[in-house]
Amino acid sequence: MFDKLVKIICNYVEVEPSAVVPEARFVEDLGFNSFDFMSMLGEIEDEFDIEIDQMAAIDIRTVGEAAEYFEKLLAEK
């Protein structure tokens, strides 16, 4: 999941894949704005056939938190 997430993130912001580490914060470190982030979530929903709770998404700050949350959703399918 993490490797696929890195590829998707790099489609939305201009960062090197090596910069996308679990501790990286979407806004502060990777340069996401809210539109980029919500667009990325939509792509992830389509890609993995999961439904992301918008209220839970608000609390996602780092790549690691996102990966954990998406993996949890996949496990619940």
Side-chain angles (χ1 to χ4, degrees), residues 7-48:
K7 288 179 185 171
I8 292 171
I9 288 169
C10 290
N11 289 336
Y12 284 89
V13 289
E14 292 185 28
V15 295
E16 290 297 318
S18 60
V20 184
V21 294
E23 313 70 60
R25 297 168 297 175
F26 283 100
V27 175
E28 296 88 343
D29 300 326
L30 300 177
F32 271 79
N33 62 38
S34 58
F35 179 76
D36 293 333
F37 188 72
M38 297 310 286
S39 296
M40 180 195 70
L41 293 181
E43 181 176 338
I44 289 168
E45 284 182 323
D46 293 342
E47 176 82 18
F48 297 103

Side-chain angles (χ1 to χ4, degrees), residues 35-76:
F35 179 76
D36 293 333
F37 188 72
M38 297 310 286
S39 296
M40 180 195 70
L41 293 181
E43 181 176 338
I44 289 168
E45 284 182 323
D46 293 342
E47 176 82 18
F48 297 103
D49 193 30
I50 56 176
E51 188 169 328
I52 298 168
D53 180 332
Q54 298 303 315
M55 294 310 288
I58 291 171
D59 293 330
I60 296 172
R61 299 279 180 251
T62 67
V63 175
E65 290 171 1
E68 281 181 30
Y69 177 64
F70 303 148
E71 286 171 359
K72 180 181 152 223
L73 291 178
L74 283 170
E76 293 172 354

